[in-house]
Amino acid sequence: MADKTAIVTGSARGIGAAIAKRLASDGLAVAVLDLDEAACADTVAAITDAGGKAIAVGADVSDEDSAAAAVAKVADQLGAPTVLVNNAGIIRDNMLFKMSVDDWNSVMAVHLRGAFLMSRACQKHMVDAGWGRIVNLSSTSALGNRGQANYSAAKAGMQGFTKTLAIELGKFGVTANAIAPGFIETDMTAATAARMGVDFDDFKKAAASQIPVNRVGEPADIAHTASFFVSEGAGFVSGQVIYVAGGPKD
């Protein structure tokens, strides 16, 4: 994979940072992309200190011009991006009767519009190369989750988007797959606990008690799965959704 370049969106921290570091250890050059370019510094430093190659890229994935400019910058500085991980995401949780139109639109814009714009901008490089990998981050919330009508709809949409990309791009040597994490210990889940007024350790223990493997997930669990999807060996795996949740999901 040493001649391949990857873009990982939302990779300044959390799951995205873990994926970026893992792909760099697999030999890819990695564009660490986030809304705030300065926030990418720690992830880039971790990669370069370990002997990998990475650059920081600031971009709003929900903005057409910003997404296109980011992909062009990566192509110019690292090489044509033939691996894309659409991880960027936000939450604006609320019950339906209290959810604002802005809460709905913001979540849809980052998750779905962002994945669309980044995939559209990268696919030409993949088609030209006759090889590509797109990995989209869904969630177990795609199956429905109280207080997350916007997020659940967006994550379910990511699965339909993934399957359609697999159908359209397969003949060009491009695969598209999705990862649907369960409870992963990140700043986002910590913020959820804080918003609920629950101690984070207690929050994790309660979650773990409902998970068959009896623990919550870590960003590295998702990074391992992304590494597989991106690998040469996964070339016959496309249009799939893997629930990385410590147990079966319907």
Side-chain angles (χ1 to χ4, degrees), residues 151-175:
Y151 187 78
S152 296
K155 290 307 193 182
M158 290 289 272
Q159 296 188 18
F161 179 62
T162 298
K163 292 175 182 293
T164 300
L165 293 184
I167 292 167
E168 291 188 6
L169 299 175
K171 66 181 179 181
F172 301 107
V174 180
T175 67

Side-chain angles (χ1 to χ4, degrees), residues 203-216 245-249:
F203 193 55
K204 290 187 290 182
K205 287 177 183 176
S209 70
Q210 303 299 312
I211 299 172
V213 301
N214 199 35
R215 70 169 176 89
V216 299
K249 294 292 178 180

Side-chain angles (χ1 to χ4, degrees), residues 4 7 50 103 109 118 163 178 200 222:
K4 304 276 192 304
I7 295 175
D103 288 339
M118 291 299 297
K163 292 175 182 293
F200 191 37
I222 308 306

Side-chain angles (χ1 to χ4, degrees), residues 4-9 19-20 23-24 28-33 53 55 74 78-85 122 133 230:
K4 304 276 192 304
T5 296
I7 295 175
V8 183
T9 70
I19 293 172
L23 295 186
L28 290 89
V30 180
V32 178
L33 188 151
K53 187 175 183 180
I55 61 169
V74 174
L78 284 182
T82 55
V83 173
L84 172 65
V85 180
C122 287
R133 299 283 188 267
V230 168

Side-chain angles (χ1 to χ4, degrees), residues 77-98:
Q77 296 189 14
L78 284 182
T82 55
V83 173
L84 172 65
V85 180
N86 285 308
N87 168 76
I90 61 171
I91 53 172
R92 296 289 185 271
D93 295 351
N94 226 326
M95 298 299 288
L96 179 63
F97 75 97
K98 292 193 290 186

Side-chain angles (χ1 to χ4, degrees), residues 109-120:
V110 176
H111 292 271
L112 278 177
R113 179 181 168 90
F116 157 66
L117 290 173
M118 291 299 297
S119 298
R120 190 181 66 175

